[in-house]
Amino acid sequence: MEQKTNGISLMSAILNNIPAEAGITRIEYEGPRIALYTKNPAFLHKNSYVISEIVSTLKKRVVTRTEKSIRKPESEARQALDKLIPSEAGPISYFFDDALGEITVEAGSPKALSQEAGFDLGGAMEKTGWKVKVRKAPHIQSTAIQNMNYAWKSGSDLREKFYRELGEAIFRPRLASTEHVTIKTLGGFQEVGRSCLLVETAESKVLLDCGIHPGTRNPWDAYPRLDWADISPADVDAIVISHAHLDHMGFLPAMFKYGYDGPVYCTEPTLPLMTLLQNDFVKIAQIEGGRLIYDQKDIRDAVQHAITLPYSTVTDISPDIKLVFNNAGHILGSATVHLHIGEGAHNIVYTGDYKYGRTQLFDSATWNYPRVETLITENN
Ligand SMILES: [Zn+2]
């Protein structure tokens, strides 16, 4: 079944494995994931083994989403949650993501909303008709997160369409049977800054990092050299960002300005950090009268195309490439990038910046990879 997990066979494999009580109404691609829409989210929440079994059969990422028709309007859903959430949870704020049908509850004390504390998350989903996620509220108001939420909210329709089309591109049948892979270095090799490399297979072109060289004003030395690979931003299928330093992601919004409209994969903490630094970069250029290679609109565009992934999770990012992020121990959210090409054909690990040895803030970088044929690493 694994070879034929696209299209109809994928859908029927899921439908055959799922009980009728789950209330599945449709199955759709959502970027690199498969989304099961349900009218009974509480059932799937209580019986999480149903989804686990599907995941282990299909070896794909599967998420559950609530059917739009059961989602209560925001004001009603807020009221329902206000009633359910105990005062011990501390100050609460909600973010409604219309594209995913997901409410993020930010709580001062998220422990009060855990299963151990007796909070009924499934019940909250049943009452609101939305998927409910809980996380810790930041200690101070974060404009980076507010900007990100605004970009997501204002682009909900676009994101919904983007996720679906991206899923169709990722899970399409492979066109070629060859498994060759080439790597072209477009910046950051034998120099510090503008890290960027292109991984190319018969099916896909993926950029790993997309940095600028902050120390130079000469454009030939400051930005990744896409011209060396004879490609334009529109030719790229996916961009993977290892961490939120400008020499690894400072050029990303410019890619969108000049025609890229594909996904940006990064970890969850990397996204707000990255937008914060890119916005600062624009502001400083405006103040200093420097060269503006993009503006806030392009940064927003990148956020609307971002797909955040947890560590240690295998994700299909093209018909022949799987991606896994692992902790790099360098800054918050920093990741090493592990690409698996084809069906066991080749493994590439691109470390980005990393640090061994535990610090007060981070665990040491992950070093234990089951198989690596090509290792690309920084050199101090
Ligand atoms: Zn760095």
Side-chain angles (χ1 to χ4, degrees):
M1 173 164 38
E2 218 185 311
Q3 274 79 31
K4 294 168 78 186
T5 42
N6 38 59
I8 296 166
S9 58
L10 184 82
M11 305 304 175
S12 59
I14 292 172
L15 287 172
N16 289 341
N17 275 292
I18 208 155
E21 305 94 286
I24 299 298
T25 49
R26 63 196 161 105
I27 301 168
E28 263 174 27
Y29 295 123
E30 186 187 277
R33 299 173 278 247
I34 292 156
L36 308 187
Y37 283 79
T38 173
K39 283 192 167 179
N40 191 356
F43 175 86
L44 285 172
H45 180 70
K46 273 183 214 124
N47 300 282
S48 55
Y49 73 91
V50 174
I51 299 297
S52 310
E53 276 173 12
I54 295 175
V55 170
S56 68
T57 315
L58 295 179
K59 310 248 181 325
K60 303 279 171 226
R61 297 193 59 201
V62 175
V63 286
T64 55
R65 299 288 176 215
T66 60
E67 191 51 65
K68 272 189 182 163
S69 61
I70 69 161
R71 292 181 203 162
K72 296 271 185 323
E74 266 194 49
S75 57
E76 257 178 71
R78 269 171 204 278
Q79 278 174 10
L81 286 174
D82 283 344
K83 270 189 208 152
L84 291 170
I85 290 175
S87 57
E88 297 82 69
I92 293 285
S93 68
Y94 304 120
F95 173 66
F96 285 72
D97 187 336
D98 302 298
L100 304 180
E102 204 166 67
I103 307 172
T104 303
V105 179
E106 284 193 346
S109 308
K111 265 194 184 152
L113 302 179
S114 64
Q115 211 179 355
E116 297 79 62
F119 183 69
D120 180 12
L121 201 61
M125 295 188 207
E126 207 167 358
K127 291 253 160 51
T128 57
W130 291 66
K131 184 130 185 224
V132 180
K133 222 167 74 173
V134 177
R135 73 171 174 215
K136 175 136 183 65
H139 293 294
I140 46 167
Q141 277 288 358
S142 159
T143 42
I145 290 180
Q146 281 169 349
N147 287 342
M148 203 181 78
N149 286 348
Y150 171 75
W152 274 356
K153 190 100 185 151
S154 60
S156 312
D157 292 345
L158 178 150
R159 284 170 54 224
E160 223 178 304
K161 186 165 170 275
F162 164 66
Y163 290 145
R164 214 172 28 245
E165 289 173 357
L166 174 63
E168 277 158 20
I170 291 172
F171 295 109
R172 69 169 167 75
R174 286 171 62 174
L175 302 171
S177 54
T178 52
E179 308 231 70
H180 71 264
V181 46
T182 57
I183 296 171
K184 291 174 182 158
T185 60
L186 310 184
F189 286 76
Q190 294 197 316
E191 62 180 351
V192 174
R194 64 160 167 181
S195 286
C196 185
L197 46 109
L198 172 72
V199 175
E200 201 172 341
T201 68
E203 306 282 348
S204 22
K205 292 183 177 63
V206 176
L207 277 194
L208 305 186
D209 280 345
C210 195
I212 49 161
H213 193 315
T216 173
R217 297 212 159 184
N218 174 358
W220 295 111
D221 297 328
Y223 313 129
R225 295 295 299 267
L226 299 187
D227 57 316
W228 285 346
D230 201 19
I231 53 165
S232 70
D235 299 326
V236 176
D237 298 301
I239 301 177
V240 179
I241 299 292
S242 68
H243 69 284
H245 275 155
L246 284 174
D247 54 335
H248 290 259
M249 57 65 191
F251 195 71
L252 178 68
M255 291 292 288
F256 283 90
K257 181 171 176 177
Y258 293 105
Y260 180 66
D261 65 352
V264 176
Y265 295 101
C266 61
T267 65
E268 198 175 354
T270 295
L271 184 59
L273 272 178
M274 179 162 83
T275 58
L276 183 82
L277 289 173
Q278 288 161 348
N279 274 306
D280 280 355
F281 176 68
V282 169
K283 275 182 220 151
I284 290 166
Q286 280 164 339
I287 292 165
E288 291 182 348
R291 192 186 169 88
L292 262 185
I293 51 168
Y294 52 80
D295 61 22
Q296 278 88 357
K297 187 203 155 289
D298 307 305
I299 299 172
R300 208 159 52 231
D301 220 0
V303 172
Q304 288 170 347
H305 288 78
I307 294 176
T308 62
L309 304 175
Y311 288 139
S312 316
T313 306
V314 182
T315 303
D316 291 89
I317 61 165
S318 86
D320 63 348
I321 302 183
K322 291 181 169 67
L323 162 69
V324 184
F325 282 133
N326 278 300
N327 175 35
H330 171 58
I331 58 164
L332 184 65
S334 63
T336 62
V337 177
H338 178 184
L339 297 181
H340 177 86
I341 315 287
E343 300 294 330
H346 199 85
N347 289 274
I348 299 169
V349 170
Y350 163 62
T351 63
D353 298 344
Y354 63 97
K355 183 176 171 60
Y356 279 126
R358 270 176 68 91
T359 60
Q360 289 220 330
L361 285 175
F362 306 115
D363 287 337
S364 66
T366 301
W367 54 270
N368 194 358
Y369 293 91
R371 239 186 80 185
V372 180
E373 281 81 23
T374 299
L375 176 69
I376 304 157
T377 179
E378 63 160 341
N379 176 12
N380 292 310

